[in-house]
Amino acid sequence: MGALKPAHGGVLKNLYLGTEAAAEEKGRSQTLKSWDLNPRQLCDVELILNGGFSPLEGFLGRADYEAVVSDMHLADGLLWPIPVTLDVTQDFADTVGEGHIIALRDPEGVLIATMQITDKWCPDLLEEAASVLGTTDDLHPEADRLLHRSGPVYLGGTLRGVEAPVHFDFTHVRHTPREMRDLMAKWSWRKVVAFQTRNPLHRAHQELTFRAAHEMEANLLLHPVVGMTKPGDIDYFTRVRCYEKLLSHYPDQTTALSLLPLAMRMAGPREALWHGIVRKNFGCTHFIIGRDHAGPGKDSQQNDFYGPYDAQDLFKKHEHELDITLVPFKMMVYVQDRAQYAPVDEVEPNETQLTISGTELRRRLRFDLDIPAWFSFPEVIGVLRERYPPLTNQGFTLFFTGLSGSGKSTIANAVMTKLMESGGRPVTLLDGDVVRKHLSRELGFSMEHRNLNINRIGFVASEITKNGGVAICAPIAPYAMSRRQVREMIEPLGGFIEIHVSTPLEVCETRDRKGLYARARAGVIKEFTGVSDPYEAPENPEMVIDTSSITIDQAAQRVLLKLENLGYLS
């Protein structure tokens, strides 16, 4: 590998068994307890097995986990800033123990690996969030996952790889660490700068990466994440098509593209260290860190979770342990007076700087507005316009939520009729009672079952929206968390308009044709929203409608006017 450095910890791991041993492991797995890996765990397993997470040989045991959470190091003192853990349900944990071997399978049941359990414990998830992420605010996507979606039990243990996860997409730019290192050796790449991204690349990014490679006299590896990123990010299929268009704007034979199946934690400074370790394992010698690296945006107080250059500062502090060189960059802006890009701190006060935010870019795409040539390349914009056509051609979801008897189902029906009358898109109504009858018949009314019902509605609505249709949902949806999960599911695919039908409880009770409220007041119906179970009113819905003061037809007209105002109707 010439000047390329050893993997983190000195040895590049490969935990896959040989052909005969893998066949034996498959046979033995038939008698083992099986855990179906979720998408995040599947990403972690892939990078453990192929060496991307060297020196890890499995999911962290308790001692390593506690050391990582408190001190960013494994128990043996090696730098490792992010917990890589296998969280499972309590029911599954009760069936296994230390010393047991379990089968780890993909969602289709294919055996990916086996794991011998060394540790089983219940972590303090609040402490993990506070220490690793620096916050317990559940607007942070990883804090949200830890505190509301993670299994309560962690299993630690070593892995034996049986079969690599199968990818049918972009196979020509998917490489293991060993494959990437071998390619670098073949190409005689002695110094390699890696660039991490989870977004499409525009002219500012191209200028930044080109400058970094030029200043370091190195080759460039564009190494975008195609595992799991921040909810709401542009899908990686679209992003990779953008990256491939961008490659022609770099000098020949200087730049490569390779996809990284990483499940990001959006952990800011700690994640920057982690990304550096992973890139070193892939053979890189330098790593670019720009503004707000792996930052998830703003917290519930509208403050940034991390400072703009906190990641650079922490990386510098631990650079001697990482053995990969930081290439720091400030935000790049277009300087109109020079007709070129420059770091923001190099712009003179009298010079005019131009930028287009992600929000402004999305607005221009939505309304088919001009995107200037100085901002991006025509080929990249062409890919984005294909993926994000004008709003009048996009699918969307109307999500009505409110108490029983509030009028949400009646408004939903009226809106459906009016949209079908005008034509243009297929319209599907997902009424709460109808979904309960046909899609969630087996579910009760506990919080867990209510959330599962709403997630099912959200999944169906997301498929309708993705394919250009209109999904109209009218469940009670009493919990803010499940409504937020549905929004996160749908917004990357099209429009999501949450409508709070805020009719007061006393008015809803007077409309109680089925006698549900009376039975709930008498204790006959348990866990009834508004009586014995809470309704968490939306804080920032797109619309609020109180049907105690307007007719259903007036309410439906308000919804249509809102859709027109937002740009979904022409």
Side-chain angles (χ1 to χ4, degrees):
M1 288 297 296
L4 294 180
K5 299 175 182 177
H8 188 59
V11 178
L12 185 64
K13 303 292 183 181
N14 178 3
L15 303 180
Y16 285 105
L17 300 170
T19 304
E20 290 186 8
E24 291 177 4
E25 200 75 355
K26 282 185 180 179
R28 182 171 66 159
S29 72
Q30 301 304 314
T31 62
L32 301 178
K33 293 283 185 183
S34 290
W35 175 255
D36 292 338
L37 299 162
N38 61 37
R40 177 181 183 275
Q41 294 166 347
L42 192 60
C43 288
D44 287 349
V45 166
E46 181 169 1
L47 288 171
I48 292 170
L49 294 177
N50 69 21
F53 283 173
S54 294
L56 301 192
E57 297 184 359
F59 288 103
L60 296 185
R62 186 167 188 171
D64 280 328
Y65 164 80
E66 291 177 350
V68 167
V69 168
S70 65
D71 189 45
M72 297 197 305
H73 290 75
L74 299 170
D76 64 5
L78 190 67
L79 181 69
W80 191 269
I82 299 291
V84 178
T85 53
L86 181 65
D87 61 292
V88 300
T89 62
Q90 186 66 59
D91 288 344
F92 182 80
D94 289 342
T95 68
V96 298
E98 295 177 8
H100 290 182
I101 297 174
I102 61 174
L104 302 179
R105 301 183 182 275
D106 72 9
E108 295 182 356
V110 175
L111 179 67
I112 302 300
T114 60
M115 182 175 92
Q116 182 162 18
I117 299 171
T118 58
D119 298 87
K120 181 176 81 170
W121 77 102
C122 293
D124 184 339
L125 297 177
L126 275 170
E127 173 61 25
E128 180 178 339
S131 296
V132 176
L133 309 174
T135 183
T136 58
D137 187 330
D138 61 13
L139 281 188
H140 191 296
E142 180 66 2
D144 173 45
R145 187 199 68 82
L146 280 171
L147 303 180
H148 304 297
R149 312 187 201 193
S150 175
V153 181
Y154 282 179
L155 302 178
T158 53
L159 299 186
R160 289 162 60 87
V162 175
E163 185 171 333
V166 177
H167 300 286
F168 297 105
D169 55 344
F170 303 115
T171 55
H172 59 295
V173 284
R174 288 185 181 270
H175 308 96
T176 67
R178 174 49 60 196
E179 289 169 344
M180 197 69 248
R181 282 170 166 258
D182 288 346
L183 283 173
M184 291 174 182
K186 179 181 178 180
W187 298 333
S188 299
W189 284 16
R190 298 175 59 82
K191 294 169 68 176
V192 183
V193 177
F195 183 63
Q196 149 85 27
T197 181
R198 50 174 247 270
N199 295 305
L201 302 186
H202 301 293
R203 286 186 181 269
H205 306 99
Q206 192 266 350
E207 180 68 22
L208 183 155
T209 52
F210 181 79
R211 282 186 177 216
H214 180 74
E215 290 177 10
M216 296 299 111
E217 297 182 345
N219 292 97
L220 175 67
L221 176 65
L222 297 178
H223 209 202
V225 171
V226 295
M228 299 178 70
T229 60
K230 180 184 173 184
D233 281 351
I234 293 174
D235 66 277
Y236 78 78
F237 294 98
T238 300
R239 290 191 285 112
V240 174
R241 290 197 295 271
C242 290
Y243 304 142
E244 291 183 325
K245 297 291 187 184
L246 191 71
L247 280 177
S248 63
H249 293 278
Y250 290 94
D252 287 343
Q253 301 182 38
T254 65
T255 303
L257 171 67
S258 185
L259 309 185
L260 180 66
L262 178 77
M264 290 185 67
R265 274 59 165 179
M266 304 305 299
R270 278 199 183 213
E271 181 127 356
L273 296 179
W274 195 41
H275 289 171
I277 291 169
V278 171
R279 272 39 186 242
K280 180 182 175 182
N281 287 336
F282 274 84
C284 300
T285 58
H286 295 70
F287 183 49
I288 298 169
I289 298 181
R291 186 181 184 279
D292 196 25
H293 186 99
K298 296 188 181 298
D299 61 21
S300 57
Q301 304 303 312
Q302 291 304 299
N303 297 314
D304 291 332
F305 277 104
Y306 310 113
Y309 300 107
D310 286 354
Q312 292 183 6
D313 293 340
L314 188 65
F315 203 99
K316 290 174 185 175
K317 182 178 178 181
H318 293 276
E319 197 168 4
H320 65 287
E321 295 179 85
L322 289 162
D323 203 21
I324 184 171
T325 302
L326 167 68
V327 184
F329 262 89
K330 301 290 185 180
M331 183 174 72
M332 301 290 290
V333 295
Y334 184 73
V335 185
Q336 189 175 35
D337 311 73
R338 309 183 206 172
Q340 66 183 55
Y341 277 90
V344 67
D345 59 341
E346 295 179 11
V347 179
E348 299 296 333
N350 63 330
E351 291 182 309
T352 301
Q353 55 179 275
L354 303 176
T355 61
I356 291 181
S357 67
T359 300
E360 175 61 14
L361 174 61
R362 289 189 292 273
R363 188 187 74 84
R364 294 184 183 217
L365 289 170
R366 285 191 191 106
F367 295 103
D368 201 22
L369 301 175
D370 178 62
I371 298 171
W374 61 259
F375 175 75
S376 193
F377 299 98
E379 313 96 295
V380 172
I381 295 303
V383 172
L384 293 176
R385 287 198 187 280
E386 179 182 326
R387 174 61 183 84
Y388 296 98
L391 291 184
T392 50
N393 296 333
Q394 286 188 28
F396 61 86
T397 292
L398 290 173
F399 194 91
F400 293 88
T401 173
L403 296 171
S404 178
S406 62
K408 59 188 181 300
S409 295
T410 312
I411 302 172
N413 270 286
V415 171
M416 177 189 69
T417 302
K418 292 179 183 296
L419 288 174
M420 292 178 71
E421 179 184 357
S422 60
R425 295 180 179 93
V427 184
T428 304
L429 176 64
L430 300 170
D431 180 73
D433 291 338
V434 175
V435 169
R436 278 278 180 180
K437 180 179 179 180
H438 295 287
L439 191 62
S440 299
R441 184 191 298 270
E442 85 285 7
L443 299 182
F445 290 89
S446 66
M447 177 180 283
E448 179 185 0
H449 280 194
R450 287 174 185 266
N451 287 338
L452 180 55
N453 180 55
I454 298 305
N455 276 325
R456 289 178 180 177
I457 291 173
F459 173 75
V460 175
S462 72
E463 290 296 305
I464 294 167
T465 299
K466 179 175 69 176
N467 289 288
V470 177
I472 303 178
C473 311
I476 293 174
Y479 307 125
M481 183 58 61
S482 61
R483 295 194 302 265
R484 191 168 91 198
Q485 290 172 357
V486 171
R487 181 184 289 273
E488 291 172 354
M489 203 183 302
I490 294 172
E491 279 190 330
L493 307 172
F496 183 84
I497 300 95
E498 183 179 36
I499 303 170
H500 178 205
V501 185
S502 63
T503 309
L505 176 61
E506 56 271 19
V507 175
C508 295
E509 290 201 58
T510 65
R511 301 172 175 175
D512 189 14
R513 293 179 298 175
K514 300 177 183 178
L516 299 177
Y517 280 101
R519 293 165 65 194
R521 296 284 184 196
V524 176
I525 300 178
K526 309 295 183 183
E527 300 173 314
F528 191 82
T529 302
V531 177
S532 53
D533 201 62
Y535 178 80
E536 300 171 3
E539 293 184 359
N540 297 294
E542 279 71 19
M543 289 190 71
V544 178
I545 298 175
D546 181 351
T547 63
S548 63
S549 57
I550 60 174
T551 67
I552 294 300
D553 192 57
Q554 288 171 333
Q557 288 297 332
R558 282 190 57 192
V559 174
L560 295 176
L561 288 172
K562 183 68 173 181
L563 290 171
E564 184 178 351
N565 177 262
L566 290 173
Y568 291 103
L569 300 181
S570 57

